[in-house]
Amino acid sequence: MVKGTRGTGRKAHGGGKSRTNTNHLRAHRRGVVKGRWDDICTKELLPENIEKTVAEKTVLDPDKPGLGQHYCVACCRYFIDFAAFTSHNATSKHRRRLKMLTTVKPYSHEEARAAAGAGPSDHGMDPPRLPEGGRAMET
């Protein structure tokens, strides 16, 4: 064996520090992970729908955290116990999302389709109507 060919610690190509040892401190840069769209959450937060939504979401389920008993409708999250749920309700992230969902009107599917150019083709103008005879009026 030639001396100095193994174990020198030098990489053949650069690349900087590898990211194999990431930790939780970088998680806040990933953004918000939403389970449901804002228009669905807004409909669920309406006073006439909130009781029905909570009843549907808090059915006993052993696969969900806390058996599915502690659910935040605004954030679409389950919590392990009531203490975690109440501490979540005190966070600024929850309050900001709740305020946004209750005050700002979300985009509907019709608005999104119209913005993409897939809306109705009438452009707000009514087509001319023919009289009962089926012929256009002469002037």
Side-chain angles (χ1 to χ4, degrees), residues 46-120:
L46 292 175
E48 59 268 11
N49 297 338
I50 189 81
E51 292 88 10
K52 179 184 171 192
T53 302
V54 170
E56 288 176 357
K57 298 291 184 179
T58 56
V59 176
L60 282 175
D61 188 359
D63 294 331
K64 293 178 182 169
L67 298 176
Q69 295 301 297
H70 311 286
Y71 180 73
C72 177
V73 179
C75 301
C76 306
R77 287 186 61 189
Y78 288 95
F79 296 93
I80 193 82
D81 58 0
F82 187 71
F85 179 63
T86 54
S87 66
H88 162 76
N89 286 339
T91 61
S92 60
K93 191 181 246 186
H94 168 78
R95 289 188 307 231
R96 191 180 321 124
R97 180 157 170 78
L98 184 64
K99 181 179 179 182
M100 187 265 301
L101 289 173
T102 54
T103 58
V104 179
K105 181 182 176 280
Y107 285 112
S108 64
H109 292 287
E110 292 79 23
E111 283 181 289
R113 289 178 55 81

Side-chain angles (χ1 to χ4, degrees), residues 23-43:
N23 60 12
H24 67 282
L25 297 176
R26 295 167 42 91
H28 70 279
R29 294 190 181 113
R30 290 186 207 132
V32 178
V33 178
K34 294 191 298 185
R36 297 173 74 92
W37 297 103
D38 291 344
D39 57 345
I40 297 172
C41 292
T42 302
K43 288 178 186 175

